Amino acid sequence: QVPVVESGGGLVQAGGSLRLSCSVPGNSFRIIAMAWYRQAPGNQREWVASITSGGATNYVDSVKGRFTISKDNAENTGYLQMNNLKPEDTALYYCKAQQSRLGRPLLDHWGQGTQVTVSS
């Protein structure tokens, strides 16, 4: 069973918006922190944004002011709101959801990705 499931990708014109979701099937663990990564064909996976357990956020420069990462603790779901999308945002987007373990480092769980395609 895939520990994390991403959804919300699709095809959108430049300037459009999408909201990606990252959920945990069966709530098998609680998301304490998370990050979004993306990988375009021929490129390495790139970190896009992250949010800590306390809600602090960070973004790669190329998406600052356009993307917003958030998490809903009650829903145990994370989000990436993407506005003013550009063709260079086209990629497979992955969620990394982190699980807290008492006295041990956070455990990373990855999904299989959701495709975002931005047409010019």
Side-chain angles (χ1 to χ4, degrees):
Q1 182 180 5
V2 180
V4 172
V5 176
E6 302 97 337
S7 61
L11 173 63
V12 64
Q13 288 188 331
S17 298
L18 286 172
R19 188 176 81 154
L20 306 184
S21 298
C22 174
S23 61
V24 180
N27 282 321
S28 58
F29 68 92
R30 301 296 300 178
I31 298 174
I32 190 72
M34 62 174 295
W36 288 92
Y37 291 74
R38 65 187 179 186
Q39 187 168 18
N43 292 353
Q44 291 187 335
R45 190 173 296 189
E46 171 192 37
W47 167 78
V48 175
S50 58
I51 184 168
T52 68
S53 58
T57 58
N58 279 291
Y59 302 90
V60 67
D61 285 347
S62 60
V63 309
K64 283 181 181 177
R66 300 188 297 121
F67 290 10
T68 303
I69 188 172
S70 62
K71 59 184 176 74
D72 185 325
N73 293 330
E75 295 289 330
N76 199 33
T77 300
Y79 301 96
L80 185 68
Q81 177 67 44
M82 306 185 296
N83 298 329
N84 191 21
L85 282 160
K86 302 177 180 181
E88 51 264 42
D89 295 319
T90 295
L92 188 60
Y93 282 71
Y94 296 91
C95 169
K96 182 182 76 175
Q98 294 183 300
Q99 176 185 5
S100 177
R101 300 183 296 171
L102 186 63
R104 300 169 69 183
L106 297 179
L107 181 63
D108 295 340
H109 300 277
W110 290 87
Q112 294 185 328
T114 184
Q115 179 67 39
V116 172
T117 303
V118 184
S119 63
S120 57

